[in-house]
Amino acid sequence: MTTQPLLVVENLQTHFPVRRGLLRRVSGSVQAVDGVSFSIAKRRTLGLVGESGCGKTTVGRSILRLVEPTGGDVRFAGASVRGMNARDLRALRRRMQIVFQDPYGSLNPRMTVRGILEEGLVIHRMGDARDRLARMRRALDRTGLTAATLERYPHEFSGGQRQRIAIARALVLEPEFLVLDEPISALDVSIQAQVVNLLVELREELGLTYLFISHDLSVVEYVSDDVAVMYLGRLVERADAAALYRAPLHPYTLALFSAVPTIDPARRRRRIVLTGDVPSPSRPPRGCRFHPRCPLAESVCREVDPPATTLDGHLVHCHVAARELERSAGDVRAAAASIAEAMAAASAKPASDAAAASGTLKA
Amino acid sequence: MPLLEINNLVTAFHTPAGRVPAVDGVSLSIERGKTLGLVGESGCGKSVTAMSILRLVASPGVIESGEILLAREGGSVDLTQLPEPELRKVRGGRIGMIFQEPMTSLNPVFTIGDQIAEAVLLHRAVPRAAARARALEMLKLVRLADPEQRLDEYPHQLSGGMRQRVMIAMALACEPDLVIADEPTTALDVTIQAQILELLSDLRRRLQTSLLLITHDLGVVAETCDEVAVMYAGRIVERAPAAELFANPQHPYTIGLLAARPATGVRHEGPLRTIPGMVPLPQNFPAGCRFHPRCAYARLPHCAGDVPPLRDIRPQHQARCHYAGELGPATGEKGDAAHFPHFSNAGNELRPLFPEGGS
């Protein structure tokens, strides 16, 4: 790559203290994000997927320092975000904006849309009143809303329109980079596609760079150039979107993909049902964090944290995948196929410990 | 004879702003041991339909007309006419219910064991110890880890997936003939959703329970249901066996919904096809066909003037559309076939993307 990445996240760590007792002593920490690294080139979109509690939202907020990272660094256009003083940080936040999941909670109900959009412009001292109005009109127009929207309140709009207002609020500052944190999950299915199209259109027109955080795997695949999968505070796999969906290497990624229900029978993957729940991020398992739920876990997985293995830009943290890649002499697809095979075989075991219970039930 | 048959159900809310018909003439039936998926977006009336079955619609909601027939030995009983004490025996007895948010539907101050046992004691004349034994048996049935220990724990000590298992255990504790599950996996992660759906299908098969599954997720329906009913703006707009519906969707709304989701593992060119406009609120449902303002196939003034009947389009397949079965390429100002990615619009020919048959 000749271009400098716009955003570099290096070994990012965000732990939250857990306080207990009368004196509120720190008794432990929730390791929401624990050593995550990635970079995003200008005009590219990185999709960040994972289940609730995996830390994907905290990654987004740590980048903007809406929560303070406890380790590692974030560099935006070459400057270290973690080391910035308040003034530089404010200037930076004009260039990096965020759109939240819930368009009902993220817009102040007491402010008109004008107030909501203008606030950022005033804070960043952008333009005079006339210029600000022109900027607001432009932002609304870009998101498919009319200027008449300005004098109205959030409650007068539907969920999809509110999300457009939230996007306009981000755009009015003319940012270069957007964190999109589950921007469509609160919307109805027929509205989701409208907002996805809008986001893609804006990216092309304005040359924006996105971190697209979502648990919706098919939308992430559609929107992203690269996709990173998180589990329990860590990245487990990262690759070009097409490569990742074609040949997932990490057992968790495989299970995640296979769990998505699909309407097209031809595309239905063999379902791999994981047992158990995601462990608490305050007491993550040692070794590989996925090992207690992994059908392929071996003794090394229980002891040793798997290092990154990278091949043709496809990165994976997994002992089994590393060995398979070695065995297949670097053929990612062959390695992925044999891991998928092993996963399917391991989870096809009869799960009928409940059979006994149901026998007594109807008797 | 079906286990449950709903005929022309109308449930309306009488608000200061006027009458809001959330469910407007819904007819459904569920056979014994089968799963019916009721699909639609927010405000379409799918949850109110479910609540109406058990007469749990909160004031100012009223079941205004229609009948809800539950089969019983030697005939059937109309739940809308059943006296309250009788109805209480049906709730949790012959019909179990699973809600979306297991945290708010479990009582935080009672243990898991007590709550399941309570359900049993309400409907069966058994001693307390037997009810507790039954609770343990149910927790084992839903494959909750460490069931003996969980029996004495409180809801907040469990994860979301575990709570939903407890809800299922409670719903099944009295061996109901029908389970109504309202978005049972929406609050859960996909890997946990897969566990719960597998569990529900497995239990249904083994216990021969019927299931009414209410969801907005077409993928969930495709993988778990025998029959599907699609709701839009208080009415059923399409009804068919699941495989048939997904292979040959007939109503423009269903076609649009299927098209709006990007498929995985496919390279997409250009924008996603969308359904324009937004989901109407019950206080201002459009006249005529309620989907016509968003429909790429609408022909005016016909579609805006006459309410289309739910009619047979193909064997076992009904749709509420004047032009279903002869839709052809979309026309009109709502755009061309570009709104409907389910159909390839290469040339002028509309071709379903999914092959016939669907299995």
Side-chain angles (χ1 to χ4, degrees), chain B residues 235-250:
Chain B
R235 291 185 180 142
I236 305 278
V237 296
E238 186 159 7
R239 201 164 61 184
E244 159 71 14
L245 185 103
F246 292 111
N248 303 299
Q250 297 295 323

Side-chain angles (χ1 to χ4, degrees), chain A residues 298-309:
Chain A
E298 304 168 354
S299 55
V300 62
C301 306
R302 288 181 267 277
E303 298 300 328
V304 184
D305 203 353
T309 307

Side-chain angles (χ1 to χ4, degrees), chain B residues 43-66:
Chain B
C44 73
K46 57 192 193 298
S47 289
V48 177
T49 302
M51 293 305 237
S52 300
I53 295 172
L54 292 170
R55 296 219 324 251
L56 290 171
V57 181
S59 172
V62 182
I63 298 176
E64 290 186 341
S65 59

Side-chain angles (χ1 to χ4, degrees), chain B residues 8-60:
Chain B
N8 276 316
L9 178 72
V10 177
T11 303
F13 291 81
H14 293 267
T15 69
R19 175 176 173 272
V20 179
V23 175
D24 202 6
V26 163
S27 301
L28 291 174
S29 67
I30 306 174
E31 302 291 332
R32 272 178 206 279
K34 295 286 187 192
T35 297
L36 172 69
L38 189 56
V39 206
E41 299 181 284
S42 54
C44 73
K46 57 192 193 298
S47 289
V48 177
T49 302
M51 293 305 237
S52 300
I53 295 172
L54 292 170
R55 296 219 324 251
L56 290 171
V57 181
S59 172

